[in-house]
Amino acid sequence: MAISTKLMMRQGQALVMTPQLLQAIKLLQFSNLELAAFLHDELERNPLLEAQEGDGGVDAADASQGAEPSAAEPFEGPQEGDWAQQDLAVDSATLSADLGADMSNAFEPEGPSIGERARDEAPDGAGLSATSWTGAAGGGPADGEAPNLEAYVADRQSLHEHLAGQLALACPDPRHRIIGQSIIDAIDESGYLREDLGEIAARLEADMAEAERILATIQTFDPSGVGARDLAECLAIQLKERDRYDPAMQAFVANLPLVARRDFAQLAKLCGVDDEDVADMAAELRRLEPKPGRAFGGAPIQPLVADVIVRAAADGAWHVELNADALPRVLVNHSYAAQVSAVATGPADKSFISSCLQNANWLTKSLEQRARTILRVASEIVRLQDAFLTHGVEHLRPLNLRTVADAIGMHESTVSRVTSNKYMMTPRGVFELKYFFSASIATTSGAAAHSAEAVRFRIKQMIDRETPDGILSDDAIVERLKASDIEIARRTVAKYRDSLRIPSSVDRRRAKLAQARMTTN
């Protein structure tokens, strides 16, 4: 059989990932903030796209309550008796008559009146008038724009700025200020020095002893404890400023893991004090600030905006709707596209306009499809988790992506993208859509399985009801759950307890006994 090259035609089906399809998939998994940033870039890149503005008109209710006049009703200027139309009276006789006061001992005014002096000193067009305050339309400044209220808000000083101001006073030497500023730049939002001091000194070609002295100076700055390299050093700095860093307290701070485990008996041996002194030192430690930079805040926290709102209907059902404030408002300006196409002559211009129009149409359709998909997935989640919305976390059903995907006729990957970084506002709070998906825990009787989230909530409830004499071990929790028809292993209970950041039964018993002892004392 001869080997040769030949041409063959074959017919088949294949999914081609076009750029538009990739864009639709990307839009589906975007959060609100990511989608807003993406649309901002598209609006700058595509001249045929425009953001839809909200309706700023005044309705009848606002008008009946005395709303401000709109721009369509021009301000007629100062009326008779308006203070802006009159000069300020400074004559003694006039003031005496108006105010009912004796002005015989007052100084005589020299020079022009206040109103005349203001008009003479002000530049052209900058005189005081009614329109200077109310604007030409009576609703804002003279330029017709609303005042920028953010310009009058006090700027909050950051931790780095606060430390840099103290460094300028504490270190007059420019070389020391450069080293100190590098150290301050390496301090994080909590107030800790996260970069190795030796690396900072090597980068600036400074002596290590010199860097240590400057760091010691920074550690005396406000807030107390700033510039520490670990928690023990942070607490030690604050205790030294309070003159409470004696040898016993030094040994106490050096054994913070024992403090976290509430092992007061071992701490008493290491510090050479009795149990009462150990309790006093623990109380002193609790009064300190473990994060000195917390008072200055950190990075700006982005507000959590729900994508879906769930409300109880009058007939007992649930009303699911998209949050209108979170929906993007982007329109295609077809009239502008027609005008530009009419004057376009070159093939490059026509190709550019055609590409922009195609991308704009596809983007608006993708956004509509994204909104419909989110609503379908959220509606199905509400239907399946109706017991949770009615009765609480204990009635949360086990749920996976396949169940929702099969119910609405979509692929699991699509449901996974929809539930990522999307939030639902319910009467029980705001939850991420991923929260409603949890593994199932089998029952001892073979009945319907329990949700892992519901079991985790039950474990937390059991531990919250503990008494110092009735601390539950993991085995005891397993037995109680089995009595409630929940089949669960001990290692699963330990895993759920760790996820809730609940210490072991030994540490909980030690902590409750110490708390009871302190309450008694």
Side-chain angles (χ1 to χ4, degrees), residues 166-188:
Q166 299 176 74
L167 179 67
L169 299 175
C171 298
D173 188 358
R175 173 183 172 83
H176 291 172
R177 282 204 301 268
I178 292 175
I179 299 174
Q181 188 61 50
S182 299
I183 295 175
I184 291 175
D185 292 340
I187 294 177
D188 64 0

Side-chain angles (χ1 to χ4, degrees), residues 375-396:
L375 185 60
R376 289 182 61 187
V377 172
S379 301
E380 183 63 22
I381 291 176
V382 170
R383 187 185 69 83
L384 295 174
Q385 300 293 358
D386 174 73
F388 162 78
L389 298 174
T390 305
H391 304 289
V393 183
E394 293 183 349
H395 297 270
L396 190 67

Side-chain angles (χ1 to χ4, degrees), residues 479-493:
E479 294 300 327
R480 291 199 177 191
L481 291 176
K482 285 184 178 180
S484 301
D485 196 24
I486 299 176
E487 184 69 29
I488 191 171
R490 180 186 177 278
R491 64 179 179 274
T492 307
V493 172

Side-chain angles (χ1 to χ4, degrees), residues 74-94:
F75 181 67
E76 298 180 357
Q79 303 297 324
E80 183 179 357
D82 196 339
W83 67 270
Q85 200 178 26
Q86 300 173 359
D87 290 336
L88 297 178
V90 295
D91 181 65
S92 299
T94 306

